[in-house]
Amino acid sequence: MKKLHIKTYGCQMNVYDSERMIDILRPLGYEVSDVADGADLVLLNTCHIREKAAEKVYSEIGRLKELRGEKEARGEGRMTIAVAGCVAQAEGIEIMHRAPAVDLVIGPQAYHQLPELIARTHRAKGERLAADFAPEAKFDALTSDRTVTGPTAFLTVQEGCDKFCTFCVVPYTRGAEWSRPVAAILDEAQALAAKGVRELTLLGQNVNAFNGVGSDGQPSTLAKLMYALADIPGIDRLRYTTSHPNDMGDDLIAAHRDLGAAMPYLHLPVQSGSDKILRAMNRKHGRQAYFDLVARIKAARPDLALSGDFIVGFPGETDKDFEDTLDLVRQVGYASAFTFKYSPRPGTPAASMPNQVPEAVMDERLQTLNALIIEQQQAFKATLVGKTLDILFEKPGRRDNQAIGRSPYLQSVYVEDARHLIGQIVPVRIVAVGNNSLQGALLETVSA
Ligand code: SAH
Ligand code: SF4
Ligand code: F3S
């Protein structure tokens, strides 16, 4: 067996892609190794979203070069170094110049060609295969037979983005919006369900813009797709990410009311609470529209909780604009949120906008926003104490016979004497709140 080590950066879509690359390489005799040391092939599945994420790749390549030298000195043959993902797409040629140790560069829409490319790199080093943004060919080349690692799975249903937010590289690294056909998604979901998967997280850069062709030849919607998926025996929970506020269709909102499998937890990034900044970001909606949307979603599903993404320090953001963001967060109330300092990205319009915000100001705003979010997160968790929630048990915990599951709101829940329930969805009473988790207890009827 040859050893394959994959390091994944960035979003869940990259996590999905890494799993699929493992599936593609397994028939070639590769088995996964948790460490890069001694690996025959190291794949870096990279992210370009912020400067820090992209720069990490280069320091990692430096480290790999040393491991490669040691491996060769031990007489164990060569370590092939491959860069995949969004940095590969955005900086393909540059990587070859900056890091000659890299053997091959492969974009996110081309990784189904990995076996052929790896065979070729053994003859000629330094090939670059950035994709022509044809996700169709990639998905056609992948089988629906996947390796599963537990009762939850990611399933990519949509790729790319046409929104062109002025700060964001995704439209350039992943190409235009494209949705997989419904039949192909159902096939993949059925195969996953047959292997014990109970919960699917549907992935797309703009997943609620999903419009894959349905069995009637007409474009479907995410809501219709969710109904079809929920009909598959075994599939009991559905999530999706990331959604754009402008693509929250009425049928999707209604699905949160009517479809039991739709989890009451929604990632709905708004980025900023200032109308001026939202306009400069090209988000194509204002703060009031977001409030109205949240109100409609909560009317459909009162127990739904929200998570979000926020950027502080977008060019031109004043103290007043930042106050507007804090005010939005206070009014909406989040169960969780990701917060980022604005990072200028090459080729995006915002990078050349005037009034870039000094680092120190961004640091301060980030701290203030994080403090508010953490407060809301803890407050939300506290509301769950004493309630009974359905928990999907995923894996053993550290303690004897303890199991760790997920609440409908994605929190980890630790429960004693529950190991025999892994893979099942079971009602659990929440008894305490931890920093990053909840503690639960089985109900009498279940534990007996
Ligand atoms: N498709 C998703 C976002 C993908 S990027 C969406 O539209 O929400 C994930 C998050 O990274 C974004 O929501 C944004 O908050 C953040 N982000 C993107 N570009 C950024 C940049 N240049 N600087 C800082 N944060 C950024
Ligand atoms: Fe980036 Fe905006 Fe598209 Fe999200 S919607 S991927 S933030 S351009
Ligand atoms: Fe990063 Fe690419 Fe995802 S840039 S966030 S890995 S789509």
Side-chain angles (χ1 to χ4, degrees), residues 49-50 167-168 205 242 269 271 283 309-311 340-343 345:
I49 201 82
R50 284 167 291 274
F167 53 80
C168 184
Q205 267 90 22
T242 297
Q271 315 296 354
R283 289 293 290 185
D309 289 345
F310 294 91
I311 296 176
F340 308 102
K341 281 191 278 182
Y342 169 69
S343 170
R345 305 304 293 130

Side-chain angles (χ1 to χ4, degrees), residues 9-11 13-14 46-49 86 169-170 173-174 205:
Y9 305 82
C11 64
M13 191 149 301
N14 264 13
T46 61
C47 173
H48 201 245
I49 201 82
C86 291
V169 292
V170 170
T173 63
R174 290 275 175 166
Q205 267 90 22

Side-chain angles (χ1 to χ4, degrees), residues 5 111 129 187 228 268 330:
H5 177 70
Y111 63 74
L129 190 69
D187 276 354
L268 196 63
R330 282 187 206 106

Side-chain angles (χ1 to χ4, degrees), residues 51 56 63 85 89 105 125 132 152 161 174 183 206 220 238 268 293 320 343 346 352 367 390 405 417 426 428:
E51 192 183 354
K56 268 188 208 153
R63 196 178 73 95
Q89 184 67 42
V105 176
K125 201 187 105 43
D132 43 352
T152 64
C161 182
R174 290 275 175 166
N206 258 314
S220 184
L238 294 171
L268 196 63
L293 175 61
K320 166 75 175 70
S343 170
S352 51
Q367 272 188 28
D390 282 339
D417 301 319
V426 177
V428 164

